[in-house]
Amino acid sequence: MNTLGDSWSVEFHSGIPVYKQIIHHVQATVAAGRLKPGDQLPTIRALHKMLKVNPNTVARAYRELEFLGILEAQQGSGCFVAPPAAPPKRSQRIIKAKAVELGARFASEARSQGIPLDQIIQQLNEGKSHA
């Protein structure tokens, strides 16, 4: 059931909070199609043992992912990838502001990982052809 990847681990000295690393990893895994709507995520207990982090950290990440509409928690059954929601209607000004925000976040993350921005841009362009 480990659809998040056995080789994945958190980076404790990256400056990015662990719960945000979990959120980003789940978002990336869903975006890449390795997790599909209805797929079950590891339990909080299983993921905290796999990553060697506090279970409250995993619970916080899962709560935020649920708030973002990426996960659905089903009492007694676990957490599942939520079906995609219809995108909200937004003005071009709001879309541009969000694009600037996401671009800054990607650039910061790439810089902290030592990944050149041109490599990120190339990957985004390749992904665009698969969408």
Side-chain angles (χ1 to χ4, degrees):
M1 176 191 353
N2 189 359
T3 52
L4 292 177
D6 291 322
S7 63
W8 176 57
S9 64
V10 294
E11 297 177 17
F12 294 102
H13 303 291
S14 71
I16 299 170
V18 172
Y19 82 97
K20 286 190 176 187
Q21 290 182 50
I22 294 169
I23 291 167
H24 295 159
H25 186 74
V26 171
Q27 288 174 319
T29 305
V30 170
R34 291 190 305 270
L35 278 174
K36 298 184 181 359
D39 285 352
Q40 186 172 11
L41 270 71
T43 64
I44 291 170
R45 172 180 247 147
L47 192 57
H48 107 81
K49 285 182 179 179
M50 181 180 101
L51 298 177
K52 297 176 178 63
V53 299
N54 188 305
N56 293 327
T57 302
V58 176
R60 180 177 181 184
Y62 277 14
R63 276 192 311 273
E64 190 155 329
L65 286 162
E66 185 176 9
F67 176 77
L68 293 170
I70 295 167
L71 296 184
E72 291 178 337
Q74 296 178 6
Q75 189 68 30
S77 298
C79 289
F80 298 83
V81 177
K89 300 278 185 188
R90 294 183 176 159
S91 70
Q92 287 300 318
R93 182 180 61 79
I94 292 172
I95 291 171
K96 182 174 179 164
K98 190 63 175 175
V100 168
E101 176 191 332
L102 288 171
R105 193 178 331 155
F106 284 159
S108 174
E109 178 74 14
R111 193 171 29 256
S112 73
Q113 298 294 323
I115 302 171
L117 286 178
D118 58 340
Q119 190 173 352
I120 298 290
I121 292 167
Q122 178 185 354
Q123 186 63 39
L124 287 171
N125 285 328
E126 288 174 12
K128 190 168 49 173
S129 66
H130 295 100

